[in-house]
Amino acid sequence: MKQHTKHILQFIVTAFAVTLFFSCQDNYSEIQKLSYSKRFPVGEAENMFLVYTDSGKVKSTLRSPYNKDFSNQQFPFMEFPNGIILEFFDEQNNKSVVTSDYAILYSDTRLVDLQGNVVLTTHDGNVLEAPQLYWDQDKEWIFTEGKFKWSNEYGVLLQGTNGIDFNRDLTIIDAHEIYDSTIPIDEKDK
């Protein structure tokens, strides 16, 4: 009888341990679900207007109807889901403007990803259009890896499919693959 009671007691302890193990496992998966962090912004702003100055001079301005600040993420960024208008000013205070339907500014790398109907217009009449454009703020370098259309006030037109990169003033340009170009020739140059 003593042997029989010992087996029953072992069975009860084993059943209790197995039940406890499976219930802990289930709770652990629930805790994992709770700790899964979704991307929630730390702040939001409407009708945003930022001014960037250096030594008392305005270098650029940024306007956006709506902004989400994700500086609480491991790779912090600011999202502009309704587009932006960026204005850049050179040393002579000439203004160039960039517009896009959507933008992300990555805080750590200072890279801006502009998407959707991106148009860059410089103070001297250069216009660059692309579906997506990147701007490296530190190097003041702009590039795209997709299609683009570039024109200027003299009627020069370049179109490509494989990207272009250039400095902020569009004075240094490297078009990777051009499929169409137009360069007007004056009658006296013929």
Side-chain angles (χ1 to χ4, degrees):
M1 180 78 160
K2 200 172 188 176
Q3 187 74 357
H4 183 60
T5 307
K6 184 178 174 186
H7 286 294
I8 291 175
L9 188 58
Q10 278 182 327
F11 176 75
I12 292 173
V13 169
T14 304
F16 180 73
V18 168
T19 304
L20 184 64
F21 174 75
F22 283 113
S23 68
C24 287
Q25 189 70 9
D26 189 46
N27 287 341
Y28 181 71
S29 65
E30 289 300 315
I31 291 170
Q32 282 181 320
K33 287 179 189 175
L34 290 174
S35 69
Y36 175 76
S37 72
K38 296 192 182 223
R39 281 194 335 195
F40 292 108
V42 72
E44 297 179 44
E46 290 183 357
N47 300 317
M48 180 180 201
F49 180 64
L50 290 175
V51 178
Y52 174 71
T53 60
D54 186 11
S55 304
K57 287 186 79 173
V58 175
K59 292 291 187 179
S60 62
T61 65
L62 182 147
R63 295 176 194 272
S64 179
Y66 183 61
N67 166 258
K68 292 181 181 181
D69 181 359
F70 291 95
S71 59
N72 58 343
Q73 300 297 308
Q74 185 175 358
F75 192 65
F77 64 96
M78 293 176 72
E79 180 182 33
F80 303 90
N82 299 334
I84 61 170
I85 300 172
L86 288 170
E87 299 175 330
F88 303 97
F89 300 92
D90 65 13
E91 296 301 318
Q92 291 75 38
N93 211 30
N94 296 313
K95 178 174 74 172
S96 298
V97 179
V98 179
T99 60
S100 73
D101 294 339
Y102 176 86
I104 296 179
L105 171 104
Y106 297 100
S107 306
D108 288 349
T109 60
R110 296 187 31 88
L111 184 71
V112 180
D113 179 0
L114 304 157
Q115 299 176 24
N117 299 311
V118 182
V119 178
L120 167 63
T121 307
T122 64
H123 70 279
D124 56 355
N126 291 304
V127 178
L128 179 76
E129 301 170 64
Q132 185 171 26
L133 204 60
Y134 299 97
W135 174 42
D136 185 328
Q137 295 178 73
D138 292 334
K139 295 179 182 174
E140 295 190 344
W141 201 254
I142 302 166
F143 61 96
T144 183
E145 296 174 351
K147 62 182 185 174
F148 66 90
K149 177 180 163 185
W150 177 75
S151 60
N152 67 14
E153 63 183 331
Y154 305 109
V156 175
L157 173 69
L158 299 175
Q159 295 185 80
T161 57
N162 211 11
I164 187 170
D165 57 289
F166 48 89
N167 65 346
R168 182 175 83 163
D169 301 324
L170 274 85
T171 54
I172 302 171
I173 299 172
D174 180 15
H176 305 286
E177 186 175 306
I178 297 172
Y179 69 84
D180 188 19
S181 64
T182 304
I183 301 174
I185 299 174
D186 205 358
E187 283 297 318
K188 63 182 178 185
D189 293 335
K190 287 184 179 179

